[in-house]
Amino acid sequence: MSYREAIDLIDRLRTEMGSHLFASMSGWSFAMDRQSFYGALLLTKVHNALSSKGDAPLRLPWPWDEQETPEAEKVTVEERQQLAAELKQSSAFGQLRT
């Protein structure tokens, strides 16, 4: 095998989501290919959508560390109006006149 072929092979392993090299470089605890990822995601979404209201949501293990989503900052009505006005003024879409 030539050096060029070896480099191409390593590059392919580095970018292939299901390879252990990709998982290691991404900080994942295990390798997971795209088909498995999409299948697990679909299973989770469908199961949780069809489950009863009191059931705990299905949570499959993912190869990366899941961190809790931080709670959104509370904004008053006045602050929201001020921010919306600032956005409209600086936005290209806010500059359009009809």
Side-chain angles (χ1 to χ4, degrees):
M1 174 181 295
S2 70
Y3 285 115
R4 184 73 233 157
E5 289 173 324
I7 290 169
D8 288 342
L9 179 61
I10 291 170
D11 189 50
R12 202 174 306 158
L13 286 172
R14 184 183 58 81
T15 58
E16 176 57 43
M17 198 168 145
S19 73
H20 292 283
L21 180 61
F22 179 91
S24 176
M25 291 176 68
S26 300
W28 291 4
S29 56
F30 58 91
M32 182 180 224
D33 63 352
R34 290 185 194 282
Q35 291 83 5
S36 299
F37 171 75
Y38 292 131
L41 188 60
L42 179 63
L43 173 69
T44 303
K45 293 291 183 188
V46 170
H47 181 275
N48 291 337
L50 298 177
S51 63
S52 299
K53 231 175 193 9
D55 294 345
L58 176 65
R59 296 185 59 92
L60 296 176
W62 298 106
W64 53 85
D65 290 334
E66 286 191 81
Q67 298 173 355
E68 293 296 319
T69 306
E71 190 171 322
E73 206 175 303
K74 302 293 182 199
V75 179
T76 65
V77 174
E78 294 81 21
E79 289 174 322
R80 183 178 299 276
Q81 290 171 347
Q82 179 187 359
L83 292 169
E86 289 175 17
L87 178 63
K88 186 175 182 178
Q89 187 173 2
S90 63
S91 170
F93 294 108
Q95 303 297 324
L96 296 176
R97 305 282 185 242
T98 56

